[in-house]
Amino acid sequence: MDRITSHEQGLAALAAHFAGMPPVAALQVQVDDWREGQLRLRAPLAANVNDKGCAFGGSLSSLMTIAAWGLVALELESAGVHADVFVADSRVRFLKPVFEDLVVEAAFDDAGEHAALLDVLHRQGRASIRLQARAVLADGAVAATYVGRYVAIAKA
């Protein structure tokens, strides 16, 4: 009998969370992978296509936003910390059109902030952290970049 790991449980919980939010569910997001401080999501082009036949910029932006949010949420939950995570601000750059399924990868922007996240949250009940994400094409090219600041607030 296969034993479900806490890693798999975290990914399943994140996928269920995404499915429970109608705007995110409409993107048809799939949680692809989470390891070593990085989260990868994908979504089908068919559900996110614009009038030019490529990915809708709003879908790319949304997917990068929730990938970064999901990474913070997964990291906190895996450490046993229960907190609400909010996006505080972000910046997106669109570099190339995407004519294939959308794939985004989110990572922590600063290793020092990542290492201090739990300590700051425990001491102050609130912490801010920067993340980055990118939309990648099958050939490895980067189609869009994202930098966002997120705030985690400990639940009482």
Side-chain angles (χ1 to χ4, degrees):
M1 181 190 285
D2 290 333
R3 183 171 169 225
I4 297 176
T5 66
S6 62
H7 183 265
E8 291 165 332
Q9 289 173 337
L11 293 177
L14 183 62
H17 191 78
F18 288 161
M21 294 185 286
V24 177
L27 299 171
Q28 298 180 16
V29 177
Q30 299 163 12
V31 179
D32 210 17
D33 193 23
W34 166 47
R35 68 182 73 230
E36 299 171 8
Q38 186 171 2
L39 177 65
R40 186 173 56 239
L41 303 178
R42 67 179 58 245
L45 177 61
N48 297 284
V49 71
N50 66 15
D51 60 325
K52 294 159 201 64
C54 61
F56 177 60
S59 293
L60 283 169
S61 179
S62 295
L63 199 59
M64 291 186 291
T65 301
I66 64 170
W69 178 91
L71 179 57
V72 175
L74 283 169
E75 295 278 331
L76 292 175
E77 286 294 324
S78 73
V81 175
H82 303 291
D84 287 318
V85 178
F86 302 91
V87 62
D89 58 62
S90 63
R91 183 181 71 243
V92 176
R93 290 187 60 220
F94 298 100
L95 307 171
K96 295 180 177 198
V98 177
F99 290 96
E100 60 196 47
D101 288 348
L102 291 62
V103 177
V104 302
E105 298 170 342
F108 291 95
D109 192 45
D110 181 297
E113 280 186 0
H114 181 206
L117 176 65
L118 292 174
D119 182 54
V120 172
L121 190 57
H122 284 304
R123 282 188 293 107
Q124 299 177 3
R126 173 186 189 105
S128 175
I129 190 160
R130 288 181 322 233
L131 286 97
Q132 59 183 315
R134 60 191 190 147
V136 294
L137 301 173
D139 66 4
V142 176
T145 61
Y146 169 96
V147 176
R149 186 173 56 88
Y150 289 75
V151 175
I153 301 172
K155 292 182 181 179

Short mmCIF file of all heavy atoms in Angstrom, two decimals, residues 2 14 27 35 54 57 70 73-74 82 85 100 104 113 115 122 127 141 145 147:
data_model
loop_
_atom_site.label_atom_id
_atom_site.label_comp_id
_atom_site.label_asym_id
_atom_site.label_seq_id
_atom_site.Cartn_x
_atom_site.Cartn_y
_atom_site.Cartn_z
N ASP A 2 0.61 2.20 -0.87
CA ASP A 2 1.38 3.43 -0.95
C ASP A 2 0.99 4.36 0.19
O ASP A 2 -0.18 4.48 0.53
CB ASP A 2 1.13 4.14 -2.28
CG ASP A 2 1.74 3.39 -3.45
OD1 ASP A 2 2.72 2.68 -3.23
OD2 ASP A 2 1.21 3.52 -4.57
N LEU A 14 -3.33 22.33 -1.84
CA LEU A 14 -3.21 23.55 -2.65
C LEU A 14 -4.09 23.46 -3.89
O LEU A 14 -4.79 24.41 -4.23
CB LEU A 14 -1.76 23.79 -3.05
CG LEU A 14 -1.49 25.07 -3.83
CD1 LEU A 14 -1.86 26.30 -3.01
CD2 LEU A 14 -0.04 25.12 -4.27
N LEU A 27 -9.15 29.11 -14.69
CA LEU A 27 -7.86 28.98 -15.37
C LEU A 27 -7.49 27.51 -15.63
O LEU A 27 -6.63 27.23 -16.43
CB LEU A 27 -6.74 29.61 -14.52
CG LEU A 27 -6.82 31.10 -14.23
CD1 LEU A 27 -5.76 31.49 -13.20
CD2 LEU A 27 -6.69 31.91 -15.49
N ARG A 35 9.36 21.83 -4.94
CA ARG A 35 10.59 21.32 -4.31
C ARG A 35 11.62 22.44 -4.24
O ARG A 35 11.66 23.31 -5.09
CB ARG A 35 11.14 20.11 -5.03
CG ARG A 35 11.69 20.39 -6.42
CD ARG A 35 12.20 19.16 -7.14
NE ARG A 35 11.06 18.36 -7.56
CZ ARG A 35 10.94 17.06 -7.33
NH1 ARG A 35 11.88 16.40 -6.72
NH2 ARG A 35 9.89 16.40 -7.74
N CYS A 54 -3.16 33.44 -28.56
CA CYS A 54 -2.11 33.17 -27.58
C CYS A 54 -2.68 33.35 -26.17
O CYS A 54 -3.85 33.68 -26.00
CB CYS A 54 -0.89 34.07 -27.82
SG CYS A 54 -1.20 35.83 -27.69
N GLY A 57 -2.99 37.77 -21.29
CA GLY A 57 -2.06 38.34 -20.32
C GLY A 57 -2.57 38.27 -18.90
O GLY A 57 -1.80 38.04 -17.96
N GLY A 70 0.96 30.49 -3.61
CA GLY A 70 0.94 29.08 -3.23
C GLY A 70 2.25 28.62 -2.64
O GLY A 70 2.28 27.80 -1.71
N ALA A 73 2.33 29.82 0.95
CA ALA A 73 1.37 29.03 1.73
C ALA A 73 1.89 27.62 2.00
O ALA A 73 1.80 27.12 3.12
CB ALA A 73 0.03 28.98 1.01
N LEU A 74 2.46 26.97 0.99
CA LEU A 74 3.00 25.62 1.16
C LEU A 74 4.17 25.60 2.14
O LEU A 74 4.26 24.71 3.00
CB LEU A 74 3.46 25.05 -0.19
CG LEU A 74 2.38 24.55 -1.12
CD1 LEU A 74 2.96 24.28 -2.51
CD2 LEU A 74 1.72 23.29 -0.56
N HIS A 82 0.32 28.34 10.69
CA HIS A 82 -0.96 28.68 10.08
C HIS A 82 -1.05 30.20 9.97
O HIS A 82 -1.04 30.90 10.98
CB HIS A 82 -2.12 28.11 10.90
CG HIS A 82 -2.02 26.63 11.06
ND1 HIS A 82 -2.19 25.75 10.01
CD2 HIS A 82 -1.71 25.87 12.13
CE1 HIS A 82 -2.02 24.52 10.44
NE2 HIS A 82 -1.72 24.56 11.71
N VAL A 85 -2.10 34.50 3.86
CA VAL A 85 -1.11 35.09 2.96
C VAL A 85 -1.84 35.99 1.97
O VAL A 85 -2.83 35.57 1.37
CB VAL A 85 -0.30 33.99 2.22
CG1 VAL A 85 0.70 34.61 1.27
CG2 VAL A 85 0.38 33.06 3.23
N GLU A 100 1.25 28.11 -26.39
CA GLU A 100 1.24 26.74 -25.88
C GLU A 100 0.67 26.77 -24.47
O GLU A 100 0.38 27.85 -23.94
CB GLU A 100 2.68 26.19 -25.88
CG GLU A 100 3.64 27.00 -25.02
CD GLU A 100 5.11 26.71 -25.32
OE1 GLU A 100 5.50 26.67 -26.49
OE2 GLU A 100 5.85 26.51 -24.34
N VAL A 104 4.26 28.15 -15.31
CA VAL A 104 4.92 29.17 -14.51
C VAL A 104 5.67 28.53 -13.35
O VAL A 104 5.27 27.48 -12.84
CB VAL A 104 3.94 30.25 -13.98
CG1 VAL A 104 3.21 30.93 -15.12
CG2 VAL A 104 2.98 29.69 -12.98
N GLU A 113 15.60 36.54 3.11
CA GLU A 113 14.21 36.76 3.51
C GLU A 113 13.50 35.43 3.73
O GLU A 113 12.73 35.28 4.67
CB GLU A 113 13.45 37.55 2.44
CG GLU A 113 13.68 39.03 2.45
CD GLU A 113 12.78 39.74 1.44
OE1 GLU A 113 11.98 39.08 0.74
OE2 GLU A 113 12.89 40.97 1.36
N ALA A 115 14.83 32.57 4.60
CA ALA A 115 15.33 31.96 5.83
C ALA A 115 14.75 32.64 7.07
O ALA A 115 14.50 31.98 8.08
CB ALA A 115 16.86 32.02 5.85
N HIS A 122 6.94 34.41 13.65
CA HIS A 122 6.76 34.00 15.05
C HIS A 122 6.93 35.18 16.01
O HIS A 122 6.16 35.32 16.96
CB HIS A 122 7.76 32.91 15.43
CG HIS A 122 7.41 31.56 14.90
ND1 HIS A 122 6.21 30.93 15.15
CD2 HIS A 122 8.10 30.70 14.10
CE1 HIS A 122 6.18 29.76 14.55
NE2 HIS A 122 7.31 29.61 13.89
N ALA A 127 4.77 38.95 8.60
CA ALA A 127 6.04 39.01 7.87
C ALA A 127 5.78 39.33 6.41
O ALA A 127 4.73 38.98 5.86
CB ALA A 127 6.79 37.68 7.99
N ALA A 141 12.64 29.36 -23.13
CA ALA A 141 12.58 30.82 -23.15
C ALA A 141 11.60 31.32 -22.08
O ALA A 141 10.65 30.62 -21.71
CB ALA A 141 12.15 31.32 -24.53
N THR A 145 7.76 37.78 -16.74
CA THR A 145 8.36 37.76 -15.41
C THR A 145 7.46 38.49 -14.44
O THR A 145 6.67 39.36 -14.82
CB THR A 145 9.76 38.41 -15.41
OG1 THR A 145 9.64 39.77 -15.80
CG2 THR A 145 10.72 37.66 -16.32
N VAL A 147 7.41 39.93 -10.17
CA VAL A 147 7.99 40.13 -8.86
C VAL A 147 6.86 40.61 -7.98
O VAL A 147 6.14 41.55 -8.34
CB VAL A 147 9.15 41.16 -8.87
CG1 VAL A 147 9.66 41.41 -7.47
CG2 VAL A 147 10.27 40.70 -9.79
#
